[in-house]
Amino acid sequence: SASIAAQVLATHTRDANLRGPTLQRVHEKMGELLADKLIDEFGLIAELVETVEFSHVQGSTFTGLTNSGTSNIVVLPLMRGGEPMARGVYSRFPLSLFIHFYDGEDDLHQRNGLLTKAFEHMDPSKPVKI
């Protein structure tokens, strides 16, 4: 079952009174929520997060988690309307590659070229294990 937060956001996406930038922001928040869910479910398995040591504000050394291990993620919105949600996902994965694909037509050669570019960006020594 979806979380309460996801249900609230989904309700807003269907609200006919929301338009333009307000509706785009709701979709962006849904993307952030989706990315957070991916981190919760697969973070350590898929190397979406990594352990990091840093100086604590009280002077000691602290070990925590960061989501900087995201260079093997490609965010590729395939529909123009999916771009705000993809922006939300992209904001949670700071080292990922964002490719915006939209040319008004479904140009298979161009899409394949973008996917080739995406795969070339990925580091084969760190395969995503999802």
Side-chain angles (χ1 to χ4, degrees):
S1 68
S3 70
I4 299 297
Q7 291 177 31
V8 169
L9 285 171
T11 299
H12 289 308
T13 65
R14 295 171 180 91
D15 186 346
N17 295 314
L18 295 181
R19 294 181 180 88
T22 304
L23 184 58
Q24 288 180 354
R25 184 67 189 132
V26 170
H27 280 95
E28 190 171 337
K29 287 204 168 285
M30 287 191 76
E32 292 170 358
L33 185 66
L34 173 64
D36 289 344
K37 182 74 172 167
L38 287 170
I39 291 169
D40 281 345
E41 294 290 325
F42 303 108
L44 293 172
I45 297 169
E47 298 177 3
L48 299 178
V49 294
E50 57 192 15
T51 304
V52 63
E53 281 194 15
F54 57 94
S55 298
H56 192 278
V57 293
Q58 296 176 339
S60 61
T61 301
F62 184 79
T63 301
L65 294 174
T66 182
N67 68 339
S68 63
T70 59
S71 62
N72 281 352
I73 293 177
V74 176
V75 180
L76 179 65
L78 297 177
M79 297 174 19
R80 185 173 59 116
E83 195 266 341
M85 186 179 291
R87 267 197 325 253
V89 172
Y90 182 58
S91 72
R92 291 294 198 250
F93 299 125
L95 300 178
S96 63
L97 175 65
F98 186 93
I99 299 175
H100 184 75
F101 176 78
Y102 179 74
D103 66 349
E105 296 179 13
D106 190 16
D107 183 345
L108 187 58
H109 293 296
Q110 184 176 0
R111 183 173 298 183
N112 285 341
L114 288 172
L115 291 174
T116 299
K117 179 181 174 186
F119 290 127
E120 287 172 355
H121 168 77
M122 298 177 115
D123 181 354
S125 69
K126 295 182 179 179
V128 175
K129 301 171 189 168
I130 294 178

